Amino acid sequence: MSTTNSMQNVGWPNSVSPGIGAFRIDVPSDWSAIEPTGGLIAFLAPARDNFRVNLVVFGERIPPDKDLGELAEEALLGAGAHNIVAIGMDGAESDEQLPSAARRADLVLEGRMIRQLAVTTEGPDRSATGVRSVYALVGSCLVDRAVDDEQVLTDMISSFTVTAGAPVR
């Protein structure tokens, strides 16, 4: 404990701990948004056959030793997925893009075959220790309607943009 009576007021987020960055995403106009338990935001399609196609955005500060592909797989494993398949190459397609990793799995939830897509990406806000904002976007649709619904989820995920820049130091 300090023996001086000097205090400083520290706000958060700041350059030492920048917090999770802001983002934008394109969503079909007939979908609704909710605040999910454990996530930042979730988007729900109108109900069809007692199921709502959905996309949940998760975000947290992650240390540099955690790989984006590993994090995408963890997102699917948490739902009970087993046969997880990588979609494309992990990393950034260009110097202007942030790195990402995509995975897909089919699993049974409540007696229905569900396809889940998980894409992880990171913000440009690495702290001095390498900790950065990582976002996991997890989309779910019925396997028997995946031809149409997976494209909508892919379009949404592709539109995801981190809008917060690197912290001011």
Side-chain angles (χ1 to χ4, degrees):
M1 181 112 184
S2 173
T3 58
T4 70
N5 290 331
S6 177
M7 300 283 271
Q8 65 178 333
N9 186 279
V10 177
W12 186 89
N14 57 51
S15 64
V16 173
S17 178
I20 194 81
F23 61 86
R24 298 185 68 78
I25 187 168
D26 294 337
V27 179
S29 59
D30 60 343
W31 287 41
S32 57
I34 63 167
E35 184 177 20
T37 302
L40 300 174
I41 192 166
F43 302 99
L44 306 170
R48 202 167 88 191
D49 300 328
N50 291 322
F51 184 83
R52 296 180 81 172
V53 176
N54 62 81
L55 180 72
V56 182
V57 180
F58 299 91
E60 63 182 306
R61 302 287 294 163
I62 302 285
D65 62 334
K66 287 292 235 173
D67 176 83
L68 290 175
E70 178 185 346
L71 293 167
E73 290 174 16
E74 286 177 10
L76 294 173
L77 288 169
H82 296 287
N83 298 318
I84 299 172
V85 177
I87 304 170
M89 299 285 292
D90 293 355
E93 293 179 14
S94 72
D95 290 339
E96 293 81 40
Q97 291 184 318
L98 294 170
S100 64
R103 303 292 187 266
R104 179 181 69 215
D106 293 344
L107 59 145
V108 178
L109 286 174
E110 298 178 7
R112 301 183 87 169
M113 282 299 296
I114 306 294
R115 170 148 310 150
Q116 286 198 318
L117 305 174
V119 175
T120 52
T121 190
E122 63 184 50
D125 59 349
R126 284 185 185 260
S127 68
T129 60
V131 175
R132 79 268 195 213
S133 294
V134 173
Y135 306 86
L137 291 82
V138 180
S140 301
C141 64
L142 294 174
V143 168
D144 61 357
R145 293 201 319 254
V147 171
D148 295 327
D149 294 339
E150 193 171 351
Q151 185 59 53
V152 173
L153 290 170
T154 300
D155 290 346
M156 292 171 67
I157 292 167
S158 296
S159 77
F160 183 85
T161 306
V162 178
T163 57
V168 177
R169 301 211 187 273

